[in-house]
Amino acid sequence: MSLPDFGQQALISMLVSLIFIIVTWWALQSINLEKFIKAGNVIQARVLLILLTIVIASIVSNFFLDYLLWAQQLPFLF
């Protein structure tokens, strides 16, 4: 891999991660968390939701980026 390839890969990785963070946040908004929140702990619940969003988005984006890398490496099989 040449130096410009690393730059492109970094840009794609950042964009994919950001997209999956947005999609995960949107999807988690459908969960009714009020049932599970103690009274007066709204800020803690929001922090938990943000951390959960980051964790899920990270796992999904890593899978997507790994799959993309594997697809790019397939021509080397033949």
Side-chain angles (χ1 to χ4, degrees):
M1 254 187 197
S2 66
L3 203 52
D5 290 338
F6 283 123
Q8 290 174 350
Q9 186 178 6
L11 181 62
I12 290 170
S13 296
M14 290 171 64
L15 289 174
V16 166
S17 295
L18 185 61
I19 289 168
F20 280 115
I21 286 173
I22 292 168
V23 170
T24 305
W25 178 260
W26 171 77
L28 286 177
Q29 294 303 305
S30 67
I31 298 174
N32 187 8
L33 291 177
E34 284 79 27
K35 297 178 198 177
F36 305 107
I37 300 173
K38 292 180 183 178
N41 292 343
V42 176
I43 295 174
Q44 291 168 328
R46 281 289 170 189
V47 170
L48 179 62
L49 191 60
I50 290 169
L51 293 174
L52 189 59
T53 298
I54 293 169
V55 167
I56 293 171
S58 176
I59 292 169
V60 174
S61 66
N62 283 336
F63 170 78
F64 180 81
L65 291 169
D66 283 343
Y67 197 85
L68 182 63
L69 179 65
W70 297 332
Q72 291 173 344
Q73 291 174 345
L74 272 179
F76 297 117
L77 184 63
F78 303 105

